[in-house]
Amino acid sequence: SSASSASAPWAMEVDEIPDDWKWPAEPFEPETLREYVLACTKLTQQEQWDRQLELRAGDAQQDHTAEKVYANVMLNKEGTGQEQTTFGIDPNAYRAGRWYRFLNAKGDCHVYVHNYTRDITATRPENFTELTEHEKKRLEKLGTFILDLPSEIQRVYDKEKAIPIIFGSEDTCEALKQFFLYDKDGQLLDATRLNRVNAKALEESRQAIVNAMTLGKTLCIFLGDSIPELQEKICIPKNRDSFPRAVFAYDGLGEGAREKFYRDADREAGMCVVREGFRVCVVLMYDGMNLDMSSMRKAELPQKIPEFEDMREVRVYSEADKKKALEQMRGV
């Protein structure tokens, strides 16, 4: 029949992308696609569109989801009503590559976006494949996506009144280390330098703590892949004027504690100032192969990290971690 012959090309899949399709060499990562969808579906006159669509619905209370998607995706950002000239979907997007499903910017309906062409459609493509329930559960265990981590740190610290201890793969933790080194709202305390305790490393640690407090930044205590001897050699009474144990306790650095490790040059009019925005997080790499902590490591955490029992575990992952987890499950 004509219907079956029309659908046949869409069902055909290709292993390699032909050059004449003029697709990019590599697909876009899902998180990049998510940001793209949000940007495309976020109109400057969003509310006006919604009001017009609701008025059109009248008393019938019809669902104008598809119409909303059309307004969000196909019309330009100025809301002039002129259609974009390149909104047609590449037919080859139904033959190769992969579709992802995300909520639009308003969060009221899903759209599908292609990982090579970035075509967006409100209609579920025939070659869209859902993750299995088993795969979804595995990905949920990966925790928080790395781009969402700053807001998760803020949530745990501000709402749960606890210090987040962040677990991640080696590559992801190294990326976090760089982030806190250069981010304007972050302050890195590289505790790996304390694997051999020395005066210089202790003073650098003290300066990092003071900087984070006086400037209102998030202090990242980076432990790396092996935990320094915090309990036995670092956070001990004789070092409380450089690396106080209280830094591992939520809101533990009160006026009395600060008096001991703020130097004269750190004080403002003699005061040990702490600015709004100061938070603490701890970062530790997984020691297991499967994006997890070994049972041995889990058992030693309470003994090795001060105030560990009161911290909140936050697992973090990157796109590379997600890909690895799915490949392990699928035996790729």
Side-chain angles (χ1 to χ4, degrees), residues 4-151:
S4 61
S5 62
S7 63
W10 312 137
M12 188 178 82
E13 293 187 3
V14 294
D15 293 328
E16 290 191 18
I17 310 298
D19 291 340
D20 60 4
W21 287 10
K22 295 184 168 52
W23 283 10
E26 295 292 330
F28 292 95
E29 296 289 359
E31 288 303 323
T32 306
L33 293 169
R34 184 178 71 162
E35 296 297 325
Y36 179 75
V37 166
L38 291 176
C40 283
T41 59
K42 194 172 188 177
L43 288 169
T44 53
Q45 297 186 8
Q46 175 78 57
E47 291 178 5
Q48 289 185 27
W49 283 114
D50 282 355
R51 278 201 291 273
Q52 288 174 13
L53 293 169
E54 283 161 15
L55 284 171
R56 259 189 257 174
D59 297 328
Q61 296 295 314
Q62 294 172 348
D63 182 9
H64 281 276
T65 297
E67 200 169 2
K68 281 186 180 181
V69 172
Y70 179 83
N72 283 345
V73 178
M74 301 307 185
L75 300 177
N76 62 24
K77 284 192 179 295
E78 287 70 38
T80 60
Q82 294 176 344
E83 294 180 14
Q84 295 174 350
T85 55
T86 57
F87 66 80
I89 292 177
D90 184 338
N92 291 320
Y94 297 105
R95 302 171 63 191
R98 183 173 176 187
W99 294 90
Y100 288 88
R101 187 175 71 165
F102 298 110
L103 279 171
N104 65 352
K106 194 150 183 261
D108 58 358
C109 62
H110 283 96
V111 295
Y112 301 86
V113 58
H114 193 266
N115 68 337
Y116 276 93
T117 65
R118 294 197 297 185
D119 287 328
I120 297 174
T121 176
T123 308
R124 179 185 172 120
E126 285 187 19
N127 60 335
F128 171 75
T129 53
E130 293 268 18
L131 293 171
T132 66
E133 286 305 311
H134 188 45
E135 287 172 340
K136 285 179 184 175
K137 284 178 182 174
R138 177 67 185 99
L139 293 181
E140 282 173 11
K141 284 185 179 177
L142 293 181
T144 301
F145 184 64
I146 191 167
L147 293 181
D148 299 325
L149 186 62
S151 57

Side-chain angles (χ1 to χ4, degrees), residues 127-291:
N127 60 335
F128 171 75
T129 53
E130 293 268 18
L131 293 171
T132 66
E133 286 305 311
H134 188 45
E135 287 172 340
K136 285 179 184 175
K137 284 178 182 174
R138 177 67 185 99
L139 293 181
E140 282 173 11
K141 284 185 179 177
L142 293 181
T144 301
F145 184 64
I146 191 167
L147 293 181
D148 299 325
L149 186 62
S151 57
E152 180 64 6
I153 291 171
Q154 185 174 340
R155 186 194 68 77
V156 171
Y157 198 87
D158 296 0
K159 298 286 197 312
E160 296 191 26
K161 310 294 184 192
I163 289 177
I165 181 162
I166 299 157
F167 298 156
S169 67
E170 181 180 356
D171 288 346
T172 298
C173 288
E174 285 294 343
L176 286 177
K177 181 180 177 182
Q178 294 302 309
F179 172 80
F180 280 101
L181 182 61
Y182 295 109
D183 181 59
K184 65 179 177 62
D185 297 319
Q187 173 68 54
L188 179 69
L189 190 166
D190 187 356
T192 62
R193 296 183 180 183
L194 287 160
N195 285 326
R196 293 183 65 184
V197 184
N198 60 84
K200 183 173 182 287
L202 283 169
E203 174 56 18
E204 287 173 351
S205 300
R206 187 196 70 79
Q207 288 175 7
I209 298 168
V210 171
N211 278 347
M213 298 188 86
T214 56
L215 299 174
K217 296 185 175 191
T218 296
L219 177 72
C220 169
I221 303 174
F222 184 81
L223 301 180
D225 61 350
S226 62
I227 305 167
E229 294 185 85
L230 298 168
Q231 302 268 37
E232 301 86 357
K233 294 184 178 178
I234 300 167
C235 301
I236 54 177
K238 77 168 189 174
N239 293 333
R240 66 185 168 200
D241 64 345
S242 54
F243 202 137
R245 180 190 173 93
V247 75
F248 288 97
Y250 174 81
D251 204 19
L253 297 170
E255 186 70 33
R258 296 199 300 275
E259 284 286 344
K260 293 184 175 64
F261 67 88
Y262 271 55
R263 306 292 184 254
D264 288 344
D266 304 323
R267 300 172 190 241
E268 298 175 27
M271 303 286 288
C272 302
V273 174
V274 183
R275 285 194 167 77
E276 189 177 345
F278 171 68
R279 299 179 181 91
V280 179
C281 67
V282 180
V283 172
L284 180 64
M285 293 176 186
Y286 291 131
D287 67 333
M289 293 296 291
N290 297 318
L291 299 172

